[in-house]
Amino acid sequence: MGQKINPLGFRLGTTQDHHSLWFAQPKFFFEGLQEDQKIRNCIQNYVQKNMKISSGVEGIAHIEIQKRIDVIQVIIYLGFPKFLTEGKPKRIKELQINVQKELNYMNRKLNISITRIENPYMHPNVLAEFIAGQLKNRVSFRKAMKKAIELTEQSNTKGIQVQIAGRLDGKEIARAEWVREGRVPLQTLRAKIDYCSYTVRTIYGVLGIKIWIFVDEE
């Protein structure tokens, strides 16, 4: 039997850091976790609804949440920040109001800031969104995977592995197909590997995308 573990959780404390930084008593821990999930979902939904980018890629690499007693600091790492920076103060203010409505904050201040990332296609979340957009437009999954690998190679990564599972090309029987370029040493702890799993709904059903990117070795 395969003993599988999430590549990010496997490397916590070595090459990976937590995306949420806060402390809570054990009995209140689940509340903080649900709050984090609501913040992330609210930001992603807002970006999806208000975005008018033809490629359909939101470009959110990840969202970092830092909580103190009276302040919640949210840092959005964006690959294509043009959408949020065009009317920056107005858009961010609107986003803050949306999140505060969702969570009913009374006595805590919410700060949202945006950090632009270099080489967005080095981040698996951005790449997964790109592949999802291609699959929704009925592009062949092999063509989509090949194009994703080409985009990553331009970003000077050491290796990438892409896997898509489900009813590929509308076939009756679901299967998984994967392709790898370069090295992806999943057992090596000092290897900095970015990973994401992404779900995309197509007319054939739900497809699952998994991406491993070997960034560097420490």
Side-chain angles (χ1 to χ4, degrees), residues 17-179:
D17 292 324
H18 288 279
H19 290 164
S20 293
L21 301 169
W22 47 270
F23 175 80
Q25 294 294 339
K27 61 181 177 180
F28 300 120
F29 180 78
F30 76 97
E31 289 176 8
L33 209 57
Q34 286 176 335
E35 194 176 64
D36 281 9
Q37 196 56 49
K38 278 182 184 175
I39 291 171
R40 289 194 168 96
N41 290 344
C42 193
I43 290 168
Q44 281 170 340
N45 291 341
Y46 176 83
V47 174
Q48 273 175 358
K49 280 178 189 173
N50 294 280
M51 220 176 54
K52 294 178 178 67
I53 296 174
S54 57
S55 66
V57 179
E58 298 152 33
I60 299 177
H62 67 271
I63 298 165
E64 196 173 286
I65 299 168
Q66 300 170 4
K67 292 182 190 172
R68 300 185 190 91
I69 295 167
D70 55 347
V71 179
I72 294 178
Q73 177 71 39
V74 179
I75 305 165
I76 306 169
Y77 289 86
L78 269 179
F80 312 105
K82 191 180 174 186
F83 153 71
L84 279 174
T85 52
E86 274 172 350
K88 194 172 181 183
K90 186 189 163 195
R91 288 230 189 239
I92 292 175
K93 188 75 181 167
E94 195 181 326
L95 184 55
Q96 280 179 342
I97 291 164
N98 277 13
V99 175
Q100 281 172 328
K101 272 184 192 170
E102 182 78 24
L103 298 166
N104 298 321
Y105 283 144
M106 297 298 289
N107 55 354
R108 296 172 88 180
K109 192 183 173 188
L110 180 75
N111 289 332
I112 295 178
S113 63
I114 292 163
T115 303
R116 189 180 188 281
I117 52 170
E118 295 294 325
N119 299 328
Y121 290 113
M122 268 181 77
H123 296 265
N125 283 307
V126 179
L127 213 57
E129 281 170 19
F130 170 79
I131 294 173
Q134 296 283 300
L135 293 173
K136 280 178 183 172
N137 293 334
R138 302 196 194 183
V139 174
S140 159
F141 72 93
R142 283 201 177 88
K143 201 172 179 182
M145 288 198 291
K146 194 177 175 185
K147 181 66 179 168
I149 285 172
E150 282 173 17
L151 287 168
T152 314
E153 281 174 347
Q154 292 166 14
S155 306
N156 297 323
T157 54
K158 294 193 171 184
I160 176 173
Q161 182 174 321
V162 181
Q163 179 181 303
I164 303 178
R167 286 185 60 192
L168 302 173
D169 289 339
K171 295 286 194 308
E172 293 267 329
I173 297 172
R175 68 188 198 278
E177 292 277 342
W178 62 273
V179 63

Side-chain angles (χ1 to χ4, degrees), residues 5-17 184-195 212:
I5 187 167
N6 187 297
L8 304 181
F10 187 48
R11 289 172 175 78
L12 271 178
T14 52
T15 57
Q16 288 289 336
D17 292 324
V184 186
L186 294 179
Q187 296 295 311
T188 311
L189 272 174
R190 67 175 179 275
K192 188 175 191 304
I193 287 183
D194 270 352
Y195 165 81
W212 296 259

